[in-house]
Amino acid sequence: MGKVILTGDRPTGRLHIGHYVGSLRNRVELQNSGKFDEIFIMIADAQALTDNYDNPDKVRENIIEVALDYLSAGLDPAKTHLFIQSQISELTELTFYYMNLVTVARLQRNPTVKAEIAQKNFEMSLPAGFLTYPVSQAADITLFKADTVPVGEDQLPMLEQAREIVRSFSNIYGEGVLVEPTALLPDNKTCLRLPGTDGKAKMSKSIGNCIYLSDSPKEVKEKVMSMYTDPDHIRVEDPGKIEGNTVFTYLDAFMKPGMFEKYLPEYKNLDELKAHYRKGGLGDVKVKKFLINVLEDELAPIRERRAYYEKDIRKVYDILREGTEYARKVGQKTLSEVKTAMRINYFDDEELIARQAEQFLKKHTNN
Ligand code: TRP
């Protein structure tokens, strides 16, 4: 059995640097590691519709944004199949069969879905499609027999449900068809949940505290300059706090070798910079300017690749179309194995037809 990756994002907006350090950067590294036989990255438009069913244009317009973010972050269509979820009808079909393997009570216990229900005010009128999206996500993963799913921390409950569904399927219909997937989280703990520029728990489009991969240098600069730091660090001489200081959190998430030599040679490393800030005598502006350089070091090549693809949107759609066609072929094969295991492959089952033909014929010849 080969090593297969599947992961994806809902196309409800452009991707931000929280997505990048939380998963996207990791995916590019995995892609380039050469350790995987197949990599599938999916734009989860059908899942996006489970809570945006009344706003299809939002989903429609954001497919290209997410595709551009993927390509500009370094996902390479020669190595990675990029595809659109809704165009693979095998996913919907598999989801329908998986629905039998999960209880409503189990779905209601999923902590991520629970939090989303509260946040979206779905308590009073919960769409069945939204409650059951973890089942569809299990289909996303298993249709491609993915064993590795690089995601953010909030997706762990989905992976747990997917594994339960695989185990239940294997118990009932037989082993060897489906693969139990494992989540892959970023090593750097700061990257699990990058806070917004306002220091709030999470980067979120609706709060407006995001830095987008597609932001211009001017936007990045303005956002960093107005970032939340330590509210008690008023004068440069004051001692400052690192914990909860968003500028340092971002430095933790984006630091890589060579950054100090290149942009702030007075310091050897991040520990030294932090120590000085704690002691007092280091101003926010200096740290912020360093952060801008560190961010730009990562974002500038991404922005360049985005500009390249933005000039050829037709080509981006061609990439998605080809990826989708390939994914569909793989999906058809798995679905056919699933249907055979589930004993719903009547027309392919010559043994069944022959046996019943004989059995019914006997009724007429025996007397
Ligand atoms: N739930 C993911 C998100 O909100 C998107 C997604 C859909 C996904 N299907 C998936 C992620 C399968 C990993 C594997 O971003």
Side-chain angles (χ1 to χ4, degrees), residues 112-319:
T112 299
V113 176
K114 240 180 168 166
E116 285 173 304
I117 289 171
Q119 180 205 331
K120 293 173 206 296
N121 289 319
F122 271 164
E123 281 110 333
M124 291 311 288
S125 63
L126 175 61
F130 189 78
L131 180 68
T132 54
Y133 89 72
V135 183
S136 132
Q137 192 157 335
D140 298 337
I141 297 165
T142 53
L143 189 72
F144 302 97
K145 305 198 184 200
D147 57 349
T148 306
V149 185
V151 280
E153 201 178 23
D154 61 325
Q155 296 299 304
L156 291 179
M158 308 305 157
L159 267 291
E160 193 46 46
Q161 278 208 289
R163 276 197 295 275
E164 286 172 25
I165 289 171
V166 169
R167 285 198 285 267
S168 170
F169 183 98
S170 303
N171 277 333
I172 300 169
Y173 305 114
E175 304 280 337
V177 182
L178 300 180
V179 175
E180 257 189 65
T182 323
L184 191 64
L185 299 177
D187 309 328
N188 181 342
K189 293 294 160 249
T190 322
C191 299
L192 283 176
R193 190 160 292 222
L194 200 70
T197 51
D198 56 355
K200 295 264 164 54
K202 205 180 163 179
M203 256 194 202
S204 146
K205 210 173 22 238
S206 49
I207 307 178
N209 59 359
C210 306
I211 295 177
Y212 293 99
L213 288 177
S214 48
D215 276 348
S216 67
K218 184 163 169 278
E219 286 168 313
V220 173
K221 185 170 174 217
E222 283 168 5
K223 287 177 184 183
V224 172
M225 283 325 238
S226 61
M227 244 164 100
Y228 179 86
T229 56
D230 170 6
D232 300 324
H233 185 246
I234 297 161
R235 291 163 309 159
V236 173
E237 315 84 78
D238 292 340
K241 266 216 317 278
I242 304 293
E243 293 70 33
N245 186 326
T246 322
V247 177
F248 281 98
T249 309
Y250 283 21
L251 281 174
D252 277 328
F254 278 90
M255 195 42 59
K256 57 186 182 193
M259 291 296 99
F260 279 94
E261 289 91 319
K262 207 162 160 189
Y263 301 116
L264 200 60
E266 311 122 79
Y267 298 87
K268 272 206 294 295
N269 54 40
L270 201 47
D271 286 339
E272 218 179 80
L273 190 74
K274 285 178 180 172
H276 191 188
Y277 191 83
R278 278 207 185 90
K279 194 167 94 208
L282 174 56
D284 280 354
V285 170
K286 185 158 181 176
V287 189
K288 283 180 169 176
K289 285 192 168 150
F290 178 52
L291 175 60
I292 293 169
N293 282 323
V294 170
L295 285 177
E296 280 302 324
D297 205 87
E298 196 87 4
L299 294 178
I302 294 178
R303 208 177 283 125
E304 232 167 81
R305 276 191 294 266
R306 199 178 220 272
Y308 167 81
Y309 284 108
E310 279 178 351
K311 287 177 200 146
D312 199 354
I313 291 298
R314 281 181 190 283
K315 178 182 169 139
V316 179
Y317 273 100
D318 285 341
I319 290 169

